[in-house]
Amino acid sequence: MERLDKILAKELNISRNEAKAVIRQGRVRLNGSADVSAESKADFGDVLTFDGKELARRDFVYIMMNKPKGVISSTDGKRSGEKTVIDILPEEMKRKNLFPAGRLDRDTTGFMLITDDGAFAHDILSPKKHIPKTYSVTLDRPFTDETVRDFENGAELGKEKCLPASLEPLNGEKTKALVTIRQGKYHQIKRMFKKHSLEVLELKRIKMGGLELDESLAPGEARYLKEDELSLIKPD
Ligand code: URA
């Protein structure tokens, strides 16, 4: 059982206050009844409508965060005394079993997917699924055609061979670039550039699958994904 304002915020991708307002405006019905308040509770079997349209209730939540620098993509920062992406979620979004689907380094920013759906996370992280992840990168020096070829051929990092990746310039000097990888090895992008004596100064994930980071999210902000956005990350 969950409170109506919480359910509506999640399903309509609005704030808890906005959810309370639409309930007050009489736009929400629970099992046909308009006699509801923000505190009313609904279960998965209940029929909830907004402006007459039934809401598809989801068992899991999917949150897009614009990860800021200085927080770790883990569920537990107690040991290291650091803040995690879960710690900085707004209180009303916090619930049991949330975890970040994939890793971004402490100093990496951008699109972090947070969910409690283990199967979905497994699916999008599996190297077999080849879900592309795109990053904007700032380098200390220009990259060369040799770097592009190495990325495209699948860079070798020690004994590991990466899947083919793409590297496109974002400025004329070739110190800013878009990199798309299809797996998530430890410090992968930094190591791929380091091999060519290039240092990554800034790294931001801007896209997962076909879904771009919502640039209206300031660093540290988060919002629920809509159903159609979820299928953009992982087409069926
Ligand atoms: N590659 C890296 O080196 N770091 C990240 O955070 C993500 C990809």
Side-chain angles (χ1 to χ4, degrees):
M1 295 282 264
E2 222 173 356
R3 282 171 58 117
L4 279 200
D5 55 348
K6 197 163 178 184
I7 297 172
L8 286 162
K10 190 164 71 193
E11 297 300 335
L12 299 173
N13 186 28
I14 55 179
S15 70
R16 282 285 274 278
N17 279 340
E18 287 165 336
K20 285 179 183 144
V22 296
I23 295 168
R24 271 197 308 273
Q25 290 156 10
R27 298 167 70 185
V28 176
R29 282 170 191 253
L30 180 58
N31 300 323
S33 166
D35 185 18
V36 289
S37 70
E39 295 86 42
S40 308
K41 288 192 170 167
D43 218 336
F44 279 103
D46 292 320
V47 177
L48 199 58
T49 59
F50 172 67
D51 284 348
K53 269 213 311 228
E54 188 171 339
L55 295 176
R57 304 284 308 282
R58 288 181 270 166
D59 319 23
F60 296 115
V61 294
Y62 308 88
I63 296 168
M64 174 195 284
M65 173 182 281
N66 183 0
K67 179 190 170 298
K69 285 189 183 186
V71 294
I72 55 171
S73 49
S74 155
T75 47
D76 185 6
K78 279 193 201 85
R79 238 177 311 143
S80 57
E82 289 175 288
K83 274 206 161 41
T84 70
V85 288
I86 307 298
D87 292 331
I88 66 165
L89 277 176
E91 280 312 308
E92 70 267 19
M93 281 186 161
K94 286 186 182 164
R95 63 186 231 163
K96 258 195 297 184
N97 302 330
L98 286 178
F99 63 92
R103 287 283 167 113
L104 291 178
D105 298 336
R106 185 185 291 99
D107 58 349
T108 301
T109 59
F111 193 165
M112 182 92 249
L113 181 72
I114 297 170
T115 185
D116 50 1
D117 184 346
F120 182 80
H122 180 265
D123 250 17
I124 63 163
L125 298 176
S126 161
K128 286 192 205 113
K129 295 280 159 79
H130 298 189
I131 304 275
K133 284 137 203 143
T134 303
Y135 295 77
S136 68
V137 186
T138 305
L139 301 165
D140 62 339
R141 291 185 305 106
F143 66 84
T144 64
D145 290 348
E146 193 197 320
T147 320
V148 177
R149 274 197 301 276
D150 187 39
F151 280 30
E152 283 175 352
N153 290 335
E156 276 180 32
L157 300 175
K159 290 199 189 102
E160 298 175 288
K161 185 160 168 78
C162 298
L163 292 171
S166 69
L167 171 59
E168 297 164 46
L170 274 180
N171 63 358
E173 296 92 72
K174 297 192 175 170
T175 53
K176 287 184 189 286
L178 279 186
V179 178
T180 301
I181 57 175
R182 289 179 168 72
Q183 60 209 128
K185 293 183 186 295
Y186 181 68
H187 291 337
Q188 184 170 338
I189 293 180
K190 291 175 185 163
R191 286 161 64 214
M192 283 163 67
F193 280 111
K194 190 154 187 242
K195 205 182 141 187
H196 297 268
S197 306
L198 292 162
E199 194 190 337
V200 172
L201 302 178
E202 295 283 337
L203 189 59
K204 179 179 185 182
R205 181 153 66 193
I206 57 166
K207 199 168 173 187
M208 292 182 81
L211 182 61
E212 290 184 14
L213 173 69
D214 180 343
E215 290 289 349
S216 72
L217 292 175
E221 284 184 351
R223 70 160 174 83
Y224 292 111
L225 288 187
K226 299 173 199 140
E227 203 91 38
D228 54 337
E229 292 181 316
L230 197 60
S231 50
L232 280 176
I233 298 184
K234 187 187 73 86
D236 290 326

